[in-house]
Amino acid sequence: MRVTTSEFVVSSAKVEQCPKTEKPEFAFIGRSNVGKSSLTNMLCDRKSMAKTSGAPGKTRLINHFIVNDAWYLVDLPGFGYAKVSKKDRASFMKLIYNYFEQRENMVNAFVLVDCRVEPQKIDLDFMEWLGTKGIPFTVIFTKIDKMNSAELGKNLERYKKKMLETWEELPKFFLSSATSRHGKDEILNYIDYCIGVYEESFSDT
Ligand SMILES: Nc1nc2c(ncn2[C@@H]2O[C@H](COP(=O)(O)OP(=O)(O)OP(=O)(O)O)[C@@H](O)[C@H]2O)c(=O)[nH]1
Ligand SMILES: [Mg+2]
């Protein structure tokens, strides 16, 4: 899929403020600083449509972007940021859970994990939760420009092994780099494929 247009739509502090659910939606979720906003920009060929920062905790609202006038890309606040107060962390988490529970147009969640970091409980727990809710998800290993391919391969295997302790089947994995733009075509093509399946589910056969 080629991205021809992309536009910011709205930032929402509550799920009720999000756009109507009439278009298919894809979300980026993961720990603070993992690169959710950077990947949003990279996929859309935009420099600063989504705001990024070297300091974790930048994105604090649910940000909807519309792509090709056809589907929403959603940049979410990160979870697990240690410097945010316990109360704020709990309210971010609640917002994220509410969001996934209420968006009936949610087609696929992309769970972003930093390729350099060993499997984190908070990410694995979140994937478990998505599983119990029946929300399809894929994993994106981010910042692959920061690793050589041998180390990357090792970390990927370690991650898959860890997931197989609880999952019978592994989700799909993508590799990405917002700096080298690695992964752009694969992720966009996967989104295109998912939209096709989603739309077919509404058509009479
Ligand atoms: N080298 C490299 N740096 C990246 C990549 N993706 C993001 N970064 C950097 O990582 C930092 C965090 O990126 P963001 O996109 O703001 O991360 P986020 O997940 O949106 O963070 P929060 O909004 O705080 O949850 C920034 O300094 C980015 O420039 C990548 O693929 N490669
Ligand atoms: Mg962000």
Side-chain angles (χ1 to χ4, degrees):
M1 176 186 2
R2 272 189 55 224
V3 171
T4 49
T5 59
S6 56
E7 255 177 79
F8 167 74
V9 181
V10 66
S11 291
S12 314
K14 289 184 180 161
V15 184
E16 295 71 40
Q17 295 163 348
C18 292
K20 279 198 211 128
T21 55
E22 84 272 334
K23 287 187 164 83
E25 181 154 314
F26 297 82
F28 288 155
I29 185 68
R31 290 192 306 138
S32 277
N33 211 240
V34 69
K36 301 175 291 297
S37 302
S38 301
L39 190 58
T40 303
N41 291 331
M42 188 272 259
L43 289 188
C44 297
D45 277 324
R46 300 287 291 260
K47 269 210 178 93
S48 49
M49 183 173 69
K51 296 203 175 58
T52 65
S53 168
K58 177 71 182 172
T59 309
R60 290 175 169 253
L61 299 165
I62 301 167
N63 294 291
H64 273 78
F65 301 92
I66 183 127
V67 183
N68 293 350
D69 248 343
W71 54 277
Y72 291 117
L73 187 55
V74 182
D75 181 24
L76 291 167
F79 49 63
Y81 178 40
K83 283 191 187 154
V84 170
S85 73
K86 235 186 186 171
K87 198 170 148 235
D88 278 357
R89 243 184 295 166
S91 74
F92 275 172
M93 231 33 231
K94 193 158 179 266
L95 179 65
I96 290 166
Y97 286 136
N98 284 342
Y99 166 79
F100 280 106
E101 279 178 332
Q102 290 176 39
R103 298 299 285 176
E104 54 210 43
N105 56 334
M106 171 58 49
V107 180
N108 186 71
F110 290 99
V111 180
L112 276 61
V113 297
D114 189 320
C115 71
R116 298 165 298 175
V117 178
E118 62 183 65
Q120 299 288 304
K121 186 172 178 337
I122 192 164
D123 293 326
L124 298 168
D125 286 352
F126 191 76
M127 291 184 232
E128 287 287 337
W129 181 81
L130 287 172
T132 61
K133 294 286 167 183
I135 298 165
F137 69 90
T138 52
V139 178
I140 301 183
F141 253 41
T142 65
K143 307 192 185 186
I144 63 155
D145 54 285
K146 294 200 179 231
M147 277 206 127
N148 69 43
S149 61
E151 284 173 313
L152 183 63
K154 246 197 263 168
N155 284 2
L156 193 58
E157 282 320 301
R158 175 176 65 179
Y159 212 96
K160 289 181 173 173
K161 202 169 154 203
K162 182 74 190 171
M163 283 196 80
L164 283 171
E165 287 175 13
T166 46
W167 292 87
E168 251 169 54
E169 227 179 290
L170 287 173
K172 216 172 166 49
F173 278 74
F174 290 105
L175 304 176
S176 80
S177 164
T179 49
S180 77
R181 317 184 81 66
H182 186 105
K184 182 177 176 222
D185 292 345
E186 289 90 337
I187 296 167
L188 284 174
N189 287 342
Y190 185 66
I191 289 174
D192 200 22
Y193 163 78
C194 290
I195 292 172
V197 173
Y198 179 75
E199 281 172 353
E200 218 162 83
S201 71
F202 288 108
S203 65
D204 294 325
T205 44

XYZ file of all heavy atoms in Angstrom, residues 115 139-142 144 152 156 173-177 182-184 186-187:
145
model
N 14.046 -3.645 20.323
C 14.758 -4.891 19.964
C 15.938 -5.173 20.879
O 16.416 -6.305 20.946
C 15.216 -4.828 18.510
S 16.573 -3.674 18.220
N 3.646 -8.111 16.785
C 4.740 -7.492 17.542
C 5.670 -6.788 16.555
O 5.974 -7.335 15.492
C 5.529 -8.558 18.337
C 6.695 -7.922 19.094
C 4.604 -9.295 19.301
N 6.076 -5.573 16.894
C 7.088 -4.884 16.085
C 8.323 -4.652 16.940
O 8.249 -4.012 17.987
C 6.577 -3.537 15.530
C 5.326 -3.731 14.657
C 7.690 -2.857 14.714
C 4.794 -2.454 14.011
N 9.440 -5.202 16.483
C 10.742 -4.960 17.112
C 11.266 -3.633 16.574
O 11.564 -3.541 15.377
C 11.703 -6.090 16.707
C 12.003 -7.075 17.783
C 11.015 -7.530 18.633
C 13.294 -7.576 17.949
C 11.293 -8.456 19.623
C 13.590 -8.499 18.936
C 12.579 -8.933 19.772
N 11.393 -2.628 17.423
C 11.780 -1.292 16.943
C 13.274 -1.014 17.132
O 13.969 -1.747 17.843
C 11.000 -0.194 17.696
O 11.380 -0.221 19.070
C 9.507 -0.368 17.565
N 15.850 -1.187 15.134
C 16.808 -2.231 14.730
C 18.102 -1.642 14.174
O 19.100 -2.351 14.052
C 16.207 -3.253 13.729
C 15.816 -2.565 12.429
C 15.050 -4.034 14.314
C 15.806 -3.540 11.267
N 20.593 -9.058 16.823
C 19.159 -8.905 16.588
C 18.490 -10.273 16.467
O 17.446 -10.535 17.082
C 18.944 -8.082 15.315
C 17.519 -7.766 14.940
C 16.854 -6.897 16.007
C 17.479 -7.038 13.587
N 15.617 -11.780 18.905
C 14.324 -12.185 18.342
C 13.994 -13.615 18.774
O 12.870 -13.911 19.200
C 14.405 -12.073 16.813
C 13.107 -12.152 16.039
C 12.132 -11.073 16.486
C 13.379 -12.005 14.534
N 5.674 -11.225 13.647
C 6.684 -10.253 14.093
C 7.143 -9.410 12.913
O 7.355 -9.943 11.824
C 7.930 -10.965 14.652
C 7.800 -11.409 16.087
C 7.019 -12.502 16.422
C 8.469 -10.731 17.105
C 6.907 -12.916 17.743
C 8.365 -11.143 18.428
C 7.582 -12.239 18.751
N 7.318 -8.112 13.149
C 7.950 -7.244 12.155
C 9.164 -6.584 12.795
O 9.211 -6.408 14.011
C 6.994 -6.136 11.696
C 5.852 -6.620 10.868
C 4.577 -6.712 11.405
C 6.047 -6.979 9.534
C 3.510 -7.161 10.637
C 4.989 -7.424 8.754
C 3.718 -7.519 9.313
N 10.119 -6.208 11.944
C 11.285 -5.439 12.406
C 11.149 -4.031 11.845
O 10.726 -3.866 10.698
C 12.583 -6.054 11.885
C 12.848 -7.524 12.217
C 14.136 -7.989 11.543
C 12.950 -7.719 13.734
N 11.512 -3.012 12.640
C 11.395 -1.655 12.100
C 12.521 -0.749 12.570
O 13.141 -0.970 13.612
C 10.054 -1.030 12.517
O 10.135 -0.542 13.832
N 12.753 0.262 11.758
C 13.648 1.346 12.144
C 13.095 2.634 11.581
O 12.871 2.748 10.368
C 15.052 1.116 11.594
O 15.771 2.342 11.669
N 13.382 0.836 7.653
C 13.193 -0.612 7.518
C 11.801 -0.982 8.046
O 11.369 -0.478 9.079
C 14.284 -1.346 8.319
C 14.257 -2.825 8.136
N 15.172 -3.499 7.370
C 13.402 -3.765 8.612
C 14.891 -4.784 7.387
N 13.815 -4.967 8.132
N 11.136 -1.860 7.346
C 9.842 -2.369 7.810
C 8.641 -1.630 7.260
O 7.503 -2.106 7.390
N 8.879 -0.500 6.634
C 7.748 0.340 6.186
C 6.811 -0.437 5.239
O 5.600 -0.511 5.485
C 8.311 1.577 5.496
C 7.238 2.528 5.050
C 7.823 3.787 4.438
C 6.690 4.626 3.925
N 6.954 5.234 2.634
N 6.559 -3.646 4.559
C 5.959 -4.856 5.140
C 4.779 -4.499 6.045
O 3.736 -5.144 5.995
C 6.985 -5.644 5.977
C 8.074 -6.339 5.189
C 9.306 -5.457 4.993
O 9.175 -4.208 5.065
O 10.385 -6.016 4.752
N 4.960 -3.488 6.864
C 3.886 -3.128 7.804
C 2.690 -2.558 7.047
O 1.540 -2.934 7.300
C 4.410 -2.158 8.892
C 5.479 -2.856 9.746
C 3.273 -1.655 9.776
C 6.289 -1.929 10.652
